[in-house]
Amino acid sequence: MSTENNFDHLLGIKGLSQSQIQTIFETADNFKSLLNSPVKKTPALRDTTIANLFFENSTRTRVSFELAEKRLGADVVNFSSSSSSVKKGETLIDTVNNILSMKVDMVVMRHPAPGACLFLAKHVNAQIVNAGDGTHEHPTQALLDAYSIREKFGEVAGKKVVIVGDILHSRVALSNIYCLQTLGAEVMVCGPVTLIPKNIEKLGIKVSHNLNQALQWCDVANMLRIQLERQDQRYFPSLKEYSKLYGLSQDRLDHLNKEICIMHPGPINRGVEITSDIADSNHSIILQQVENGVAIRMAVLFLLAQNNR
Amino acid sequence: MSQPKLLLNHQQLQLIVKRLTLQLLENHSDFSQTAIVALQPRGLAFATKIIKSLSELAPEIACKYGELDHTFFRDDVGRGDILIPKPSNIQFSTENLRIVLIDDVLYTGRSIRASIDALMRFGRPSQIELMVLVNRKFQRELPIDPNYIGTSIDSRNTGGYVRVDWAQDDEKVWLLNEK
């Protein structure tokens, strides 16, 4: 997305202005109210065709995008790399250009390579929505996380948010940092030294390696999963030890003298970064995040579609 | 740009609001099965005048009131300006209600078509009526006709645009050649 209220692509949160994010939120408010009414569909994107290209596994994001697209009345084609000609050696640009030649207007893409969406935006003639590119960004997740905080507290500005876990391999963490900072929140990351990128404090955030202190500081704790599939070496001795030091449990919350809001982008590894009782407690807004994801994605697609002719 | 031409002055507008309120009272009696729905964004000020007039002429009546945005149901998404939706606020089911949609200016009829679609998701009303302050005749693009009309003008001759100023105690309606 580029200039004020002029949305070309959504490649990342970096570069989005506060006003653009607010426009997305205000549009999402209206979609949320639509989703809670008996008729959940609109014909707004009835003459738009969207391709969902998932070169990596996904459940929530893919279903959420597909639902958002269908509720906007768009035609949808789904593609996953495991059952495609990518396996036969086709390049990304060839794959996408072949799909676009079938008159597709927008591409929602998840890809393991950081920067894949930017690369595509430069080389193909379609609007690109980044649904996660490697360890780089996951903009719609950050938007729905910030939107959920706004829904819970009324505003994001001034709130203290700690992101806990595998910051090194997390695209959610980076997008969240950009989004929350743009909206005026204070951000801290917390995790083992090996899972926090060096010099991350230069982004203007706090860093802690002590979960108890981080929880005492924050209003919101966003718990991230350990991304074992991206880890090429051992970053901590064992999951049991990680869980003991950085897992969120009732016992840990009992020692706080305040209530905090618990978030998780999913998928949850119950018993590792968060215990089941906390994930299912009324402090958790994990399912609200999922619900808000559809409204946020509808808002992003609706605003992008207006620039597609 | 030529000077705006005054179409309705404050006194004329007050008389129109009173006349339209009386017409509503005549057709809807106690308003028990009626709801007024103002169309975002420019129907809200006009609807507020009607509601105020209704409370003065018939203080015993408590009429349901809602505000409706039709952005997601428009047929020109991506064909012009970027559309940013406004909130819809209808806290009741429209099932079997008589709905009076209120907007300031009726021109092509496309906004009203979108509004009717947007309204249907709140239930199935028994009837939908349309009240407009200014009816720009002869350039309709859809078969839509208002039930309550403040004033009518021939858009073929007047051309241009209609601007309604809702300044406190000095409401006026202007005809302009350009936006």
Side-chain angles (χ1 to χ4, degrees):
Chain A
M1 302 199 186
S2 56
T3 53
E4 286 313 273
N5 294 337
N6 184 14
F7 301 93
D8 296 326
H9 304 281
L10 180 63
L11 304 175
I13 298 290
K14 194 176 183 182
L16 281 190
S17 67
Q18 192 179 74
S19 143
Q20 283 178 311
I21 296 174
Q22 294 297 358
T23 300
I24 294 170
F25 285 1
E26 282 160 27
T27 307
D29 283 341
N30 293 290
F31 278 121
K32 186 152 185 192
S33 110
L34 180 88
L35 291 173
N36 285 316
S37 66
V39 181
K40 295 170 175 59
K41 230 176 146 162
T42 85
L45 266 60
R46 65 189 146 206
D47 44 7
T48 302
T49 305
I50 304 176
N52 297 318
L53 312 187
F54 280 72
F55 294 88
E56 249 188 10
N57 293 337
S58 167
T59 308
R60 239 166 318 277
T61 308
R62 191 170 51 79
V63 170
S64 181
F65 264 112
E66 191 173 341
L67 211 48
E69 290 151 4
K70 287 182 171 167
R71 295 214 158 131
L72 286 166
D75 290 324
V76 180
V77 284
N78 288 311
F79 163 100
S80 70
S81 60
S82 57
S83 57
S84 74
S85 291
V86 172
K87 291 276 180 208
K88 300 175 190 167
E90 192 171 52
T91 66
L92 177 60
I93 291 185
D94 282 342
T95 301
V96 174
N97 272 332
N98 274 280
I99 290 169
L100 292 179
S101 66
M102 298 180 226
K103 307 299 172 207
V104 168
D105 306 292
M106 290 165 82
V107 171
V108 175
M109 185 169 81
R110 166 166 290 189
H111 199 280
C117 292
L118 176 64
F119 173 77
L120 209 57
K122 284 182 177 171
H123 291 94
V124 302
N125 183 25
Q127 291 180 296
I128 311 294
V129 181
N130 183 356
D133 58 339
T135 55
H136 179 225
E137 281 224 45
H138 190 351
T140 54
Q141 180 69 45
L143 288 168
L144 75 90
D145 286 347
Y147 183 79
S148 302
I149 293 173
R150 171 182 176 263
E151 188 176 67
K152 171 88 180 171
F153 294 100
E155 60 177 346
V156 179
K159 294 290 163 292
K160 294 176 174 172
V161 183
V162 63
I163 306 169
V164 183
D166 187 355
I167 312 298
L168 185 64
H169 298 98
S170 173
R171 51 190 170 217
V172 174
L174 189 60
S175 288
N176 259 275
I177 291 167
Y178 290 141
C179 190
L180 293 167
Q181 283 187 325
T182 305
L183 295 173
E186 284 185 72
V187 186
M188 177 188 280
V189 292
C190 176
V193 181
T194 48
L195 289 177
I196 306 271
K198 282 179 187 162
N199 299 321
I200 196 168
E201 62 281 359
K202 288 187 178 166
L203 290 174
I205 59 172
K206 296 177 192 302
V207 178
S208 170
H209 304 296
N210 183 317
L211 184 58
N212 287 341
Q213 284 175 5
L215 294 176
Q216 199 64 55
W217 172 84
C218 73
D219 302 307
V220 180
N222 196 352
M223 307 304 294
L224 303 183
R225 173 178 72 90
I226 295 294
Q227 306 214 4
L228 291 170
E229 75 276 20
R230 293 189 207 284
Q231 296 185 2
D232 48 2
Q233 55 179 310
R234 289 183 76 118
Y235 289 89
F236 46 84
S238 69
L239 276 179
K240 193 174 175 188
E241 186 170 331
Y242 175 84
S243 177
K244 198 171 173 188
L245 289 171
Y246 294 101
L248 197 57
S249 62
Q250 187 62 52
D251 185 46
R252 222 183 264 282
L253 289 184
D254 286 344
H255 283 85
L256 298 178
N257 50 16
K258 61 175 185 177
E259 284 194 3
I260 60 169
C261 169
I262 313 295
M263 299 174 72
H264 196 302
I268 301 175
N269 289 143
R270 288 173 184 261
V272 181
E273 68 271 9
I274 190 167
T275 56
S276 277
D277 52 345
I278 300 298
D280 302 332
S281 73
N282 53 12
H283 299 297
S284 147
I285 57 165
I286 295 170
L287 291 177
Q288 286 91 316
Q289 288 174 263
V290 179
E291 183 188 343
N292 290 337
V294 179
I296 281 287
R297 289 175 177 118
M298 286 176 85
V300 165
L301 294 168
F302 176 74
L303 291 167
L304 282 169
Q306 297 188 49
N307 263 17
N308 103 31
R309 290 184 181 84
Chain B
M1 180 180 161
S2 59
Q3 286 295 310
K5 185 184 157 201
L6 188 66
L7 179 65
L8 297 172
N9 64 27
H10 177 56
Q11 283 75 21
Q12 288 170 312
L13 227 150
Q14 279 190 313
L15 282 172
I16 284 173
V17 167
K18 192 167 181 183
R19 168 171 58 81
L20 293 176
T21 310
L22 288 168
Q23 284 180 354
L24 276 182
L25 279 165
E26 188 183 0
N27 287 342
H28 291 262
S29 58
D30 66 352
F31 280 73
S32 61
Q33 287 303 306
T34 300
I36 287 178
V37 174
L39 300 187
Q40 287 273 23
R42 285 186 289 272
L44 270 58
F46 181 36
T48 306
K49 297 281 174 198
I50 296 288
I51 297 275
K52 184 166 176 277
S53 171
L54 194 60
S55 68
E56 286 164 2
L57 289 168
E60 71 285 1
I61 284 174
C63 179
K64 293 185 181 69
Y65 172 72
E67 294 168 357
L68 181 69
D69 182 79
H70 63 259
T71 307
F72 302 140
F73 294 85
R74 286 174 67 122
D75 57 11
D76 59 351
V77 173
R79 288 179 168 83
D81 296 338
I82 297 285
L83 307 170
I84 308 288
K86 300 261 191 273
S88 285
N89 183 21
I90 296 181
Q91 301 296 335
F92 48 85
S93 164
T94 55
E95 195 72 25
N96 291 327
L97 286 183
R98 297 175 69 191
I99 304 292
V100 182
L101 291 179
I102 297 190
D103 207 355
D104 63 348
V105 181
L106 174 63
Y107 182 35
T108 63
R110 287 182 187 268
S111 295
I112 302 303
R113 195 282 309 155
S115 301
I116 292 170
D117 274 358
L119 185 68
M120 289 301 180
R121 68 191 169 90
F122 295 94
R124 182 180 183 273
S126 65
Q127 182 189 26
I128 299 176
E129 292 182 320
L130 175 62
M131 176 186 288
V132 295
L133 179 57
V134 181
N135 176 24
R136 297 179 66 183
K137 289 166 70 178
F138 305 124
Q139 293 207 314
R140 209 79 81 229
E141 293 168 7
L142 296 173
I144 283 170
D145 221 20
N147 306 76
Y148 308 94
I149 300 168
T151 188
S152 290
I153 56 172
D154 182 346
S155 0
R156 292 170 306 180
N157 300 328
T158 55
Y161 301 92
V162 176
R163 190 180 78 210
V164 187
D165 282 344
W166 292 106
Q168 186 74 33
D169 297 327
D170 192 25
E171 302 91 348
K172 289 189 182 81
V173 180
W174 301 89
L175 283 174
L176 297 89
N177 284 330
E178 294 169 30
K179 257 183 188 170

